[in-house]
Amino acid sequence: MKHSILVTGGAGYIGSHTTLALLEAGHEVIVLDNLANSSLESLRRVERICGKAATFVEGDIRDRALLDSIFARYSIDAVLHFAGLKAVGESVQQPLAYYENNVSGSVVLFQAMAAASVFNLVFSSSATVYGEPKQMPISEDCPTGTPTNPYGRSKLMIEEILRDLSLSEPRWSIAVLRYFNPVGAHSSGLIGEDPNGIPNNLLPYISQVAVGKLQKLSVYGDDYPTVDGTGVRDYIHVVDLADGHLKALAAIATEQGVHVWNLGTGQGYSVLQMVSAFEQAAGVTVPYAIVPRRGGDIAECWADPKKAAHELGWQAKHSLDDMMHDTWRWQQSNPNGFSQ
Ligand code: NAD
Ligand code: UFG
């Protein structure tokens, strides 16, 4: 069935891939984005890929009047809420900006949704809410921990707000999606991750070294209790992640309450395994140096994805090799991201 979906942060990395998947599935999409960390070019590319356009509204989730006007104008069935700030280091420097954008912004959005009687919501959370994991793999019934930075705490706070909201008003149907490490790009090479400045995350950093924009990768520590001493994460292809949102949207259409799903592959790879998989896929050498651990990093983290498989009929389909090839295609054809 065709639905009208409001996608906050839909011009961003994960939002643009999900907007594409929604349009391809025949839904009407309204994107609200203040372009704080994205470019409208991403949505033009989405249109080039699928021949359909999302309606774009430039603005902020903290702007209640704007939200009210969107809910009045379009008959929205559900909201996919990606908008927010996400740089861990920056969140330590500017905690108030993170609490204001992520937490206060979400509160304004949820108020506007309730006022418009729109109770279907998919929220972008993160595996960071598990803190230092006590067991591996991480399933949804593992207790949440203490995130090590304001960004992570903002995600946990929003999750708690959503639980309170659902207790106060049973009509809310909420999917909390805890992403593991999103990577990769659409296979067209037209959309992908376009980090501002020097990337914080591993794969964008590797691919910028490979394309010659950065000299060498710093590997943050080789003395963790892992397969080769470097940090292990569960990398998930962004197109699989986008598909998870469509499945979650279908599930909450019939199920009220708050539902938490991990979106990961269930397989962890170390930093050095990622470097060598990238080198193999791209056919280039990635110089690196081992440097001290990065503050706040954990040794390893990967998902138990069984709950999403059973309840959503979702599982990641793309291999590590797909992630590497797609990242490289995107990086090579767009060395400067969306600004050509
Ligand atoms: P992104 O920065 O590419 O996308 C976020 C989008 O939100 C951007 O287009 C930005 O311009 C917009 N935005 C920010 N503040 C806004 C505001 N106040 N009003 C309107 N728009 C605003 O990030 P992403 O990687 O696509 O992440 C999407 C969501 O997923 C975020 O909530 C992020 O915290 C979460 N998440 C991301 C990762 C990851 O590693 N990429 C991991 C776990 C969770
Ligand atoms: N790493 C390096 N060098 C780099 C960048 C990263 O060695 O230049 C290592 C890290 O130490 C870690 C691994 O590569 O072992 C992955 O690091 P990322 O920064 O790519 O990802 P994180 O797991 O640290 O963080 C990601 C998201 C956060 C989210 C967190 C937990 O970026 O938003 O997962 O879900 F909070």
PDB file of all heavy atoms in Angstrom, residues 127-153:
ATOM      1  N   ALA A 127      24.099   1.373  18.239  1.00  0.00           N
ATOM      2  CA  ALA A 127      24.642   0.365  19.146  1.00  0.00           C
ATOM      3  C   ALA A 127      25.414   1.010  20.288  1.00  0.00           C
ATOM      4  O   ALA A 127      25.708   0.351  21.289  1.00  0.00           O
ATOM      5  CB  ALA A 127      25.557  -0.582  18.387  1.00  0.00           C
ATOM      6  N   THR A 128      25.705   2.288  20.149  1.00  0.00           N
ATOM      7  CA  THR A 128      26.426   2.991  21.216  1.00  0.00           C
ATOM      8  C   THR A 128      25.634   2.980  22.534  1.00  0.00           C
ATOM      9  O   THR A 128      26.227   3.092  23.604  1.00  0.00           O
ATOM     10  CB  THR A 128      26.764   4.431  20.761  1.00  0.00           C
ATOM     11  OG1 THR A 128      27.758   4.957  21.613  1.00  0.00           O
ATOM     12  CG2 THR A 128      25.581   5.339  20.768  1.00  0.00           C
ATOM     13  N   VAL A 129      24.294   2.804  22.465  1.00  0.00           N
ATOM     14  CA  VAL A 129      23.498   2.804  23.705  1.00  0.00           C
ATOM     15  C   VAL A 129      23.811   1.593  24.590  1.00  0.00           C
ATOM     16  O   VAL A 129      23.486   1.597  25.767  1.00  0.00           O
ATOM     17  CB  VAL A 129      21.966   2.873  23.444  1.00  0.00           C
ATOM     18  CG1 VAL A 129      21.597   4.128  22.672  1.00  0.00           C
ATOM     19  CG2 VAL A 129      21.442   1.620  22.760  1.00  0.00           C
ATOM     20  N   TYR A 130      24.455   0.560  24.036  1.00  0.00           N
ATOM     21  CA  TYR A 130      24.819  -0.601  24.863  1.00  0.00           C
ATOM     22  C   TYR A 130      26.049  -0.306  25.731  1.00  0.00           C
ATOM     23  O   TYR A 130      26.359  -1.083  26.634  1.00  0.00           O
ATOM     24  CB  TYR A 130      25.109  -1.829  23.986  1.00  0.00           C
ATOM     25  CG  TYR A 130      23.878  -2.374  23.276  1.00  0.00           C
ATOM     26  CD1 TYR A 130      23.752  -2.298  21.898  1.00  0.00           C
ATOM     27  CD2 TYR A 130      22.846  -2.963  24.005  1.00  0.00           C
ATOM     28  CE1 TYR A 130      22.636  -2.809  21.246  1.00  0.00           C
ATOM     29  CE2 TYR A 130      21.725  -3.470  23.356  1.00  0.00           C
ATOM     30  CZ  TYR A 130      21.626  -3.387  21.980  1.00  0.00           C
ATOM     31  OH  TYR A 130      20.511  -3.889  21.339  1.00  0.00           O
ATOM     32  N   GLY A 131      26.745   0.811  25.450  1.00  0.00           N
ATOM     33  CA  GLY A 131      27.940   1.141  26.229  1.00  0.00           C
ATOM     34  C   GLY A 131      29.004   0.066  26.054  1.00  0.00           C
ATOM     35  O   GLY A 131      29.162  -0.495  24.965  1.00  0.00           O
ATOM     36  N   GLU A 132      29.731  -0.214  27.129  1.00  0.00           N
ATOM     37  CA  GLU A 132      30.760  -1.274  27.093  1.00  0.00           C
ATOM     38  C   GLU A 132      30.025  -2.612  27.184  1.00  0.00           C
ATOM     39  O   GLU A 132      29.490  -2.958  28.237  1.00  0.00           O
ATOM     40  CB  GLU A 132      31.688  -1.099  28.300  1.00  0.00           C
ATOM     41  CG  GLU A 132      32.837  -2.065  28.368  1.00  0.00           C
ATOM     42  CD  GLU A 132      34.082  -1.544  27.643  1.00  0.00           C
ATOM     43  OE1 GLU A 132      34.416  -0.353  27.800  1.00  0.00           O
ATOM     44  OE2 GLU A 132      34.693  -2.354  26.935  1.00  0.00           O
ATOM     45  N   PRO A 133      29.960  -3.378  26.069  1.00  0.00           N
ATOM     46  CA  PRO A 133      29.107  -4.571  26.084  1.00  0.00           C
ATOM     47  C   PRO A 133      29.619  -5.638  27.047  1.00  0.00           C
ATOM     48  O   PRO A 133      30.816  -5.860  27.137  1.00  0.00           O
ATOM     49  CB  PRO A 133      29.149  -5.071  24.646  1.00  0.00           C
ATOM     50  CG  PRO A 133      29.975  -4.114  23.872  1.00  0.00           C
ATOM     51  CD  PRO A 133      30.675  -3.204  24.800  1.00  0.00           C
ATOM     52  N   LYS A 134      28.670  -6.292  27.745  1.00  0.00           N
ATOM     53  CA  LYS A 134      29.038  -7.330  28.713  1.00  0.00           C
ATOM     54  C   LYS A 134      29.158  -8.683  28.019  1.00  0.00           C
ATOM     55  O   LYS A 134      29.785  -9.594  28.524  1.00  0.00           O
ATOM     56  CB  LYS A 134      27.969  -7.449  29.811  1.00  0.00           C
ATOM     57  CG  LYS A 134      27.660  -6.129  30.509  1.00  0.00           C
ATOM     58  CD  LYS A 134      28.460  -5.969  31.781  1.00  0.00           C
ATOM     59  CE  LYS A 134      28.267  -4.632  32.450  1.00  0.00           C
ATOM     60  NZ  LYS A 134      28.329  -3.446  31.596  1.00  0.00           N
ATOM     61  N   GLN A 135      28.486  -8.831  26.891  1.00  0.00           N
ATOM     62  CA  GLN A 135      28.527 -10.120  26.182  1.00  0.00           C
ATOM     63  C   GLN A 135      28.492  -9.878  24.677  1.00  0.00           C
ATOM     64  O   GLN A 135      28.088  -8.816  24.218  1.00  0.00           O
ATOM     65  CB  GLN A 135      27.317 -10.976  26.585  1.00  0.00           C
ATOM     66  CG  GLN A 135      26.001 -10.370  26.110  1.00  0.00           C
ATOM     67  CD  GLN A 135      24.804 -11.173  26.551  1.00  0.00           C
ATOM     68  OE1 GLN A 135      24.469 -11.186  27.732  1.00  0.00           O
ATOM     69  NE2 GLN A 135      24.147 -11.836  25.615  1.00  0.00           N
ATOM     70  N   MET A 136      28.935 -10.868  23.948  1.00  0.00           N
ATOM     71  CA  MET A 136      28.987 -10.769  22.495  1.00  0.00           C
ATOM     72  C   MET A 136      28.414 -12.051  21.911  1.00  0.00           C
ATOM     73  O   MET A 136      28.756 -13.126  22.420  1.00  0.00           O
ATOM     74  CB  MET A 136      30.452 -10.605  22.084  1.00  0.00           C
ATOM     75  CG  MET A 136      30.685  -9.770  20.893  1.00  0.00           C
ATOM     76  SD  MET A 136      29.949  -8.153  20.969  1.00  0.00           S
ATOM     77  CE  MET A 136      30.952  -7.353  22.161  1.00  0.00           C
ATOM     78  N   PRO A 137      27.550 -12.046  20.900  1.00  0.00           N
ATOM     79  CA  PRO A 137      27.039 -10.846  20.257  1.00  0.00           C
ATOM     80  C   PRO A 137      26.030 -10.118  21.138  1.00  0.00           C
ATOM     81  O   PRO A 137      25.548 -10.664  22.132  1.00  0.00           O
ATOM     82  CB  PRO A 137      26.376 -11.403  19.002  1.00  0.00           C
ATOM     83  CG  PRO A 137      25.929 -12.772  19.381  1.00  0.00           C
ATOM     84  CD  PRO A 137      26.974 -13.288  20.324  1.00  0.00           C
ATOM     85  N   ILE A 138      25.696  -8.896  20.742  1.00  0.00           N
ATOM     86  CA  ILE A 138      24.791  -8.064  21.529  1.00  0.00           C
ATOM     87  C   ILE A 138      23.358  -8.267  21.029  1.00  0.00           C
ATOM     88  O   ILE A 138      23.063  -8.007  19.865  1.00  0.00           O
ATOM     89  CB  ILE A 138      25.159  -6.578  21.385  1.00  0.00           C
ATOM     90  CG1 ILE A 138      26.629  -6.350  21.743  1.00  0.00           C
ATOM     91  CG2 ILE A 138      24.249  -5.725  22.240  1.00  0.00           C
ATOM     92  CD1 ILE A 138      27.102  -4.918  21.511  1.00  0.00           C
ATOM     93  N   SER A 139      22.497  -8.750  21.933  1.00  0.00           N
ATOM     94  CA  SER A 139      21.087  -8.863  21.555  1.00  0.00           C
ATOM     95  C   SER A 139      20.324  -7.714  22.207  1.00  0.00           C
ATOM     96  O   SER A 139      20.830  -7.050  23.120  1.00  0.00           O
ATOM     97  CB  SER A 139      20.522 -10.218  21.988  1.00  0.00           C
ATOM     98  OG  SER A 139      20.685 -10.363  23.365  1.00  0.00           O
ATOM     99  N   GLU A 140      19.088  -7.513  21.763  1.00  0.00           N
ATOM    100  CA  GLU A 140      18.313  -6.357  22.220  1.00  0.00           C
ATOM    101  C   GLU A 140      17.994  -6.433  23.703  1.00  0.00           C
ATOM    102  O   GLU A 140      17.704  -5.409  24.325  1.00  0.00           O
ATOM    103  CB  GLU A 140      17.003  -6.228  21.419  1.00  0.00           C
ATOM    104  CG  GLU A 140      17.188  -5.879  19.956  1.00  0.00           C
ATOM    105  CD  GLU A 140      17.510  -7.092  19.067  1.00  0.00           C
ATOM    106  OE1 GLU A 140      17.822  -8.180  19.592  1.00  0.00           O
ATOM    107  OE2 GLU A 140      17.458  -6.920  17.841  1.00  0.00           O
ATOM    108  N   ASP A 141      17.995  -7.648  24.284  1.00  0.00           N
ATOM    109  CA  ASP A 141      17.695  -7.707  25.722  1.00  0.00           C
ATOM    110  C   ASP A 141      18.937  -7.474  26.590  1.00  0.00           C
ATOM    111  O   ASP A 141      18.841  -7.473  27.816  1.00  0.00           O
ATOM    112  CB  ASP A 141      16.949  -9.006  26.102  1.00  0.00           C
ATOM    113  CG  ASP A 141      17.655 -10.243  25.590  1.00  0.00           C
ATOM    114  OD1 ASP A 141      18.857 -10.129  25.257  1.00  0.00           O
ATOM    115  OD2 ASP A 141      17.011 -11.316  25.527  1.00  0.00           O
ATOM    116  N   CYS A 142      20.098  -7.259  25.969  1.00  0.00           N
ATOM    117  CA  CYS A 142      21.255  -6.809  26.766  1.00  0.00           C
ATOM    118  C   CYS A 142      20.905  -5.441  27.337  1.00  0.00           C
ATOM    119  O   CYS A 142      20.350  -4.597  26.624  1.00  0.00           O
ATOM    120  CB  CYS A 142      22.499  -6.641  25.894  1.00  0.00           C
ATOM    121  SG  CYS A 142      23.169  -8.185  25.317  1.00  0.00           S
ATOM    122  N   PRO A 143      21.218  -5.213  28.619  1.00  0.00           N
ATOM    123  CA  PRO A 143      20.888  -3.904  29.182  1.00  0.00           C
ATOM    124  C   PRO A 143      21.658  -2.789  28.474  1.00  0.00           C
ATOM    125  O   PRO A 143      22.779  -3.008  28.015  1.00  0.00           O
ATOM    126  CB  PRO A 143      21.335  -4.021  30.640  1.00  0.00           C
ATOM    127  CG  PRO A 143      22.228  -5.204  30.702  1.00  0.00           C
ATOM    128  CD  PRO A 143      21.907  -6.101  29.560  1.00  0.00           C
ATOM    129  N   THR A 144      21.024  -1.625  28.369  1.00  0.00           N
ATOM    130  CA  THR A 144      21.773  -0.496  27.827  1.00  0.00           C
ATOM    131  C   THR A 144      22.799  -0.091  28.873  1.00  0.00           C
ATOM    132  O   THR A 144      22.614  -0.325  30.062  1.00  0.00           O
ATOM    133  CB  THR A 144      20.835   0.685  27.486  1.00  0.00           C
ATOM    134  OG1 THR A 144      20.042   0.975  28.632  1.00  0.00           O
ATOM    135  CG2 THR A 144      19.945   0.337  26.309  1.00  0.00           C
ATOM    136  N   GLY A 145      23.901   0.492  28.398  1.00  0.00           N
ATOM    137  CA  GLY A 145      24.992   0.818  29.313  1.00  0.00           C
ATOM    138  C   GLY A 145      25.142   2.310  29.441  1.00  0.00           C
ATOM    139  O   GLY A 145      24.165   3.062  29.361  1.00  0.00           O
ATOM    140  N   THR A 146      26.375   2.737  29.625  1.00  0.00           N
ATOM    141  CA  THR A 146      26.663   4.157  29.763  1.00  0.00           C
ATOM    142  C   THR A 146      27.456   4.584  28.541  1.00  0.00           C
ATOM    143  O   THR A 146      28.649   4.301  28.460  1.00  0.00           O
ATOM    144  CB  THR A 146      27.498   4.407  31.036  1.00  0.00           C
ATOM    145  OG1 THR A 146      26.856   3.748  32.122  1.00  0.00           O
ATOM    146  CG2 THR A 146      27.647   5.877  31.332  1.00  0.00           C
ATOM    147  N   PRO A 147      26.804   5.243  27.574  1.00  0.00           N
ATOM    148  CA  PRO A 147      27.570   5.724  26.424  1.00  0.00           C
ATOM    149  C   PRO A 147      28.670   6.657  26.898  1.00  0.00           C
ATOM    150  O   PRO A 147      28.518   7.351  27.916  1.00  0.00           O
ATOM    151  CB  PRO A 147      26.525   6.462  25.579  1.00  0.00           C
ATOM    152  CG  PRO A 147      25.203   5.945  26.039  1.00  0.00           C
ATOM    153  CD  PRO A 147      25.374   5.598  27.479  1.00  0.00           C
ATOM    154  N   THR A 148      29.794   6.678  26.153  1.00  0.00           N
ATOM    155  CA  THR A 148      30.968   7.397  26.648  1.00  0.00           C
ATOM    156  C   THR A 148      31.009   8.852  26.184  1.00  0.00           C
ATOM    157  O   THR A 148      32.015   9.525  26.396  1.00  0.00           O
ATOM    158  CB  THR A 148      32.255   6.696  26.158  1.00  0.00           C
ATOM    159  OG1 THR A 148      32.153   6.508  24.745  1.00  0.00           O
ATOM    160  CG2 THR A 148      32.457   5.356  26.833  1.00  0.00           C
ATOM    161  N   ASN A 149      29.954   9.345  25.546  1.00  0.00           N
ATOM    162  CA  ASN A 149      30.003  10.724  25.039  1.00  0.00           C
ATOM    163  C   ASN A 149      28.584  11.288  24.915  1.00  0.00           C
ATOM    164  O   ASN A 149      27.615  10.525  24.911  1.00  0.00           O
ATOM    165  CB  ASN A 149      30.708  10.727  23.674  1.00  0.00           C
ATOM    166  CG  ASN A 149      30.037   9.747  22.730  1.00  0.00           C
ATOM    167  OD1 ASN A 149      28.961   9.999  22.224  1.00  0.00           O
ATOM    168  ND2 ASN A 149      30.663   8.592  22.521  1.00  0.00           N
ATOM    169  N   PRO A 150      28.486  12.634  24.801  1.00  0.00           N
ATOM    170  CA  PRO A 150      27.147  13.260  24.737  1.00  0.00           C
ATOM    171  C   PRO A 150      26.309  12.777  23.546  1.00  0.00           C
ATOM    172  O   PRO A 150      25.091  12.646  23.660  1.00  0.00           O
ATOM    173  CB  PRO A 150      27.461  14.752  24.620  1.00  0.00           C
ATOM    174  CG  PRO A 150      28.793  14.895  25.285  1.00  0.00           C
ATOM    175  CD  PRO A 150      29.541  13.635  24.961  1.00  0.00           C
ATOM    176  N   TYR A 151      26.957  12.492  22.401  1.00  0.00           N
ATOM    177  CA  TYR A 151      26.185  11.981  21.260  1.00  0.00           C
ATOM    178  C   TYR A 151      25.459  10.693  21.652  1.00  0.00           C
ATOM    179  O   TYR A 151      24.250  10.554  21.454  1.00  0.00           O
ATOM    180  CB  TYR A 151      27.115  11.711  20.063  1.00  0.00           C
ATOM    181  CG  TYR A 151      26.465  10.834  19.017  1.00  0.00           C
ATOM    182  CD1 TYR A 151      25.450  11.338  18.199  1.00  0.00           C
ATOM    183  CD2 TYR A 151      26.817   9.485  18.871  1.00  0.00           C
ATOM    184  CE1 TYR A 151      24.824  10.520  17.261  1.00  0.00           C
ATOM    185  CE2 TYR A 151      26.201   8.675  17.933  1.00  0.00           C
ATOM    186  CZ  TYR A 151      25.203   9.193  17.139  1.00  0.00           C
ATOM    187  OH  TYR A 151      24.574   8.385  16.216  1.00  0.00           O
ATOM    188  N   GLY A 152      26.206   9.758  22.218  1.00  0.00           N
ATOM    189  CA  GLY A 152      25.621   8.477  22.607  1.00  0.00           C
ATOM    190  C   GLY A 152      24.536   8.671  23.669  1.00  0.00           C
ATOM    191  O   GLY A 152      23.471   8.045  23.609  1.00  0.00           O
ATOM    192  N   ARG A 153      24.807   9.567  24.631  1.00  0.00           N
ATOM    193  CA  ARG A 153      23.810   9.805  25.671  1.00  0.00           C
ATOM    194  C   ARG A 153      22.546  10.417  25.078  1.00  0.00           C
ATOM    195  O   ARG A 153      21.438  10.124  25.515  1.00  0.00           O
ATOM    196  CB  ARG A 153      24.385  10.714  26.768  1.00  0.00           C
ATOM    197  CG  ARG A 153      25.188   9.924  27.803  1.00  0.00           C
ATOM    198  CD  ARG A 153      25.561  10.777  29.009  1.00  0.00           C
ATOM    199  NE  ARG A 153      26.684  11.650  28.737  1.00  0.00           N
ATOM    200  CZ  ARG A 153      27.962  11.269  28.723  1.00  0.00           C
ATOM    201  NH1 ARG A 153      28.275  10.021  28.981  1.00  0.00           N
ATOM    202  NH2 ARG A 153      28.924  12.134  28.469  1.00  0.00           N
TER     203      ARG A 153
END
